Amino acid sequence: MQQLEAPVLRAAPARTRIRGIDVARALAIVGMVMVHVGPRDLAGGGAIGAAYRATHGRAAIGFIVLAGIGVSLLVGDRSRSRLDSATVGLGWRALVLFPAGVALQTLDVNVAVILQYYAVYFLVAVVAMRLPDRWLAILAAASATLGSGAVIWLERVAPQLFESGVPQWYDLSRIVRDIFVTGYYPVIVWTAPLVVGIWLGRRDLRSPPVQRALTGGGAAVAAVGFVLSDALVGLLGPAVSPVDWRQLYVIEPHNEMPLWVLTSTGIAVAVIGGCLMLARALPRTLWPLVAMGQLAFTAYVLHLLVLDAWPHWLVRDAYAPAWISVIRFTAVALVVATVYRAVAARGPFELLLRVPVTPRRHAS
């Protein structure tokens, strides 16, 4: 903890890109594509299948941690002018992402679109970015534990609220309910990785000791979570239904339970730390991944459009062909992103996230 606390005042300026963060975004995009184009079975496939399934749920958690880091980099020193500017920026992003997510969910794709959830995460971040570190830690713990408990309790008393599939664009009440509690990325639980990211973004992410601490600390947290889950399953037995209270210690993608949130967030932090170290050591070699990460929003939207228009180009029912499909997508994305970044600073969809009018700054 002390290793991470010391460099807070030397955090990078909000407008200075940290390439390791972009590399992590690119890997998160690849992870989400893997989930969307490959088999949905959570068993079988041997080592190839196990490696492929490792991204299920965890890539999305990684994106939320990265979103929190981005918020802190946007806020910078948390002066009044920076907070005001960030509030306007995050509010604008929410206005753009909510209708975009709802619209993309109408595509004929077997994907739970995350953008409308992102819109609400950014509104939560408007409040969270003003909190001191101690309260961020309390909020993360409460979200991961009380939020998970609330989900399983509600599923026991009102299972009809957890309808299968995703809501239609016109069912606003269910969209809101899904975003906050019953959906694939519920705010009541996923606030935890978001505020962890906000906390991390206040550290000096360019510092080698901080990078090593993130990598080792994240891996250690994930390992503790896996060991604790196995121990509790062995001691108390496995959960026998989705509403069994023993689900609280089960690690399963998108079950929204505490140890799943803990291990997935730990893995995300470790990956981010590793990406920061690699980008520092190999800045030129990793430039294509940096370029892809800087176009993450565009890559996400385009892969959904491709899944809708040409699903045969990506979707596979077996693990080995799915790996080939993902490699092909990644190769194309890296080339396109590298070429695009050679002629333009921002992707076409990233431009939509820029506030059209610069907010008035106040003296801090």
Side-chain angles (χ1 to χ4, degrees), residues 40-342:
R40 298 302 177 94
D41 296 335
L42 295 180
I48 292 177
Y52 196 95
R53 293 191 300 272
T55 61
H56 280 240
R58 300 185 180 100
I61 285 278
F63 255 126
I64 305 309
V65 175
L66 288 164
I69 291 174
V71 168
S72 282
L73 295 178
L74 186 66
V75 173
D77 60 8
R78 287 188 284 166
S79 61
R80 180 182 173 187
S81 62
R82 295 296 289 271
L83 285 168
D84 289 346
S85 178
T87 298
V88 173
L90 293 173
W92 174 256
R93 293 179 190 189
L95 286 175
V96 171
L97 291 175
F98 187 86
V102 172
L104 288 169
Q105 193 64 81
T106 65
L107 297 175
D108 185 18
V109 293
N110 187 22
V111 173
V113 177
I114 198 172
L115 298 183
Q116 60 270 43
Y117 292 82
Y118 249 99
V120 179
Y121 297 148
F122 282 139
L123 296 181
V124 172
V126 168
V127 177
M129 68 185 184
R130 291 172 163 81
L131 299 177
D133 286 354
R134 178 178 299 178
W135 281 103
L136 287 180
I138 293 172
L139 180 57
S143 174
T145 54
L146 300 181
S148 297
V151 168
I152 196 170
W153 173 79
L154 188 60
E155 197 164 5
R156 288 171 65 96
V157 300
Q160 70 277 8
L161 298 180
F162 293 80
E163 302 172 9
S164 60
V166 293
Q168 298 297 315
W169 64 269
Y170 51 79
D171 193 352
L172 184 59
S173 62
R174 188 178 162 210
I175 290 173
V176 172
R177 188 182 74 215
D178 271 17
I179 288 174
F180 281 94
V181 183
T182 61
Y184 285 91
Y185 322 102
V187 172
I188 194 173
V189 176
W190 287 51
T191 290
L194 175 70
V195 298
V196 166
I198 293 174
W199 185 88
L200 292 176
R202 295 177 181 177
R203 314 307 117 181
D204 182 3
L205 298 178
R206 289 188 174 85
S207 166
V210 170
Q211 295 169 3
R212 291 192 294 270
L214 295 183
T215 306
V221 167
V224 168
F226 280 114
V227 171
L228 183 58
S229 176
D230 287 344
L232 289 173
V233 169
L235 180 65
L236 303 175
V240 296
S241 73
V243 295
D244 188 332
W245 283 106
R246 287 175 293 187
Q247 283 281 1
L248 287 170
Y249 53 75
V250 171
I251 296 176
E252 183 179 317
H254 291 293
N255 74 346
E256 319 309 342
M257 294 298 106
L259 291 183
W260 176 74
V261 175
L262 180 71
T263 55
S264 298
T265 303
I267 291 171
V269 172
V271 169
I272 291 168
C275 289
L276 289 167
M277 290 192 292
L278 284 173
R280 175 168 51 86
L282 304 168
R284 293 186 178 181
T285 303
L286 294 183
W287 169 247
L289 280 172
V290 172
M292 182 177 171
Q294 291 177 354
L295 304 179
F297 182 24
T298 295
Y300 181 82
V301 172
L302 290 181
H303 105 276
L304 291 177
L305 296 177
V306 171
L307 283 173
D308 178 59
W310 304 287
H312 59 277
W313 192 77
L314 282 177
V315 178
R316 298 293 182 269
D317 294 327
Y319 288 114
W323 273 113
I324 296 173
S325 183
V326 170
I327 291 170
R328 180 173 59 183
F329 168 87
T330 304
V332 171
L334 289 174
V335 171
V336 171
T338 302
V339 173
Y340 185 93
R341 280 291 286 111

